[in-house]
Amino acid sequence: MADAVTDDRPLTLEDLTGYFADGCKPKSAWRVGAEHEKFGFKLSDHSTVPYYGEGGIEAMLKGLMRFGWAPVLEDRADGGQTIIGLERNGANISLEPGGQFELSGAPLLTMHDICSETGQHLEEVKTVADELGLGFLGLGFHPTIRRDQAEIMPKGRYVIMRRYMPLVGNLGLDMMLRTCTVQANLDFSSEADMVAKFRTSLALQPIATALFANSPFTEGRPNGFLSARANVWTDTDPDRTGLLNFVFEDGFGFETYARYALKVPMYFAKRKGLYIDLAGQSFEQFIDGKLDDMPGQRATMKDWADHTTTIFPEVRLKSYLEMRGADGGPWSRLCALPALWTGIFYDEAALAAAWDLCKHWTPEDREGLRRDVPRLGLKAMVAGRSARDVAVDMVAIARQGLKNRAELDGSFIDETTYLGELEAIADSGLTPADRLLEKFHGEWGGDIDRVFEDCAY
């Protein structure tokens, strides 16, 4: 997809739909990608880490290059370039708006591969961070800083988003600057397979949110939530977030999602390496070459690919499906999330069993669960059952799915071990955030600084 200024013809709905449909691949080619974000802090005083300076994020990125990472550069208006990330063997390190450090892993075959990749990354990060006097924290919401204390990363798209976010929601800047997540990306074989996986995972995403809830502190105190990160998404931007009830309607498919994405207001277009602020404008008018800020210029497929990355539902469709419902956390749960969804998605019987858990839920059931889980966690109720009871069943289904694929193919050797922590959480009915609150009110004696010891990598 070339970054062309114009195209020979306007993009068609078929073009836009094809972008998603091209993700279909045979089961033998299915892989799993794992992503996670973490907060950097100075070991000396637990303050945030600026981009520039001897102990800054730029120095972190440059320090990691000794391990074979190549720089990802962004052009600046002054003609210079800024290092905004790294890449190596299909994996990427990138920066979220407030300096959250993200690993987007390569598409890998097994959970063992994913956990090895994650562990190697964390070891490399710790090696460089120790030299710079930095640490990294695994939580879903920053536990101490105010919004105005967040460091701002020098990336062009974030300048545009920071201006636009307050116009459409109250918590969008918190999403950008004070949250961290862990995600899993999984494949589909056909449109029907995509639909089945999208519906199942979208309905069950709040259950994953409860299992991974790990953000009970804001500005040094308990905030009344178990997942403050999940609550942020309820007031970020209604045009591009949420549970997408149309996914559950008859006839849903690639074209439906393309039509939805087409209606989502734009953030930007990129030309000659620089971002053009188009926030709030229409992609449909861009296709027709009718944007006042880009007269006569039509959207390209690269523009469409960029645009789809600015949509933030609980599950996002690209050429694969992204699971987006979990708070950041410790290494063990970074491996647990891809294991959970792989067990459900990559075994037909498991996928059918998971759908049976939620197929009778109404739109009101789904929305109520999403609304209640950030505060109540596994104690939330849905259709007469507790989230805890659904979570027990969900994790058990994932375990059986992983066992089934191991029995069918010897390449997948006992991946169920990565579900152990989730099983313990579900059985107990207590989220990770509940445990942190117990520590805060108990052994920590209300000292929030202890979180930088207990939750650091």
Side-chain angles (χ1 to χ4, degrees), residues 141 147 161 164-176 178-179 225 227-243 267 312-314 367 370-371 374-375:
F141 195 91
R147 188 189 291 177
M161 291 173 66
Y164 183 70
M165 282 290 183
L167 304 178
V168 291
N170 293 311
L171 300 178
L173 293 179
D174 284 332
M175 180 277 290
M176 293 180 65
R178 297 201 287 180
T179 65
F225 294 97
S227 177
R229 183 206 60 83
N231 180 64
V232 160
W233 282 110
T234 66
D235 193 4
T236 290
D237 182 346
D239 289 327
R240 66 186 76 238
T241 61
L243 286 177
Y267 279 157
F312 308 123
E314 296 293 288
E367 290 293 347
R370 180 188 182 227
R371 180 191 65 242
R375 286 191 182 275

Side-chain angles (χ1 to χ4, degrees), residues 33-97:
E35 303 181 21
H36 78 270
E37 301 161 358
K38 47 201 169 290
F39 296 109
F41 64 93
K42 296 178 183 178
L43 293 174
S44 59
D45 61 3
H46 303 155
S47 63
T48 54
V49 184
Y51 178 82
Y52 295 105
E54 292 184 5
I57 294 294
E58 182 184 39
M60 269 296 309
L61 293 170
K62 290 180 176 178
L64 286 168
M65 289 170 61
R66 79 184 70 163
F67 298 109
W69 292 91
V72 176
L73 302 172
E74 181 172 292
D75 294 335
R76 299 194 305 264
D78 65 5
Q81 291 184 312
T82 303
I83 179 171
I84 58 166
L86 303 168
E87 55 187 5
R88 181 182 70 186
N89 300 329
N92 292 273
I93 293 172
S94 58
L95 304 177
E96 290 299 299

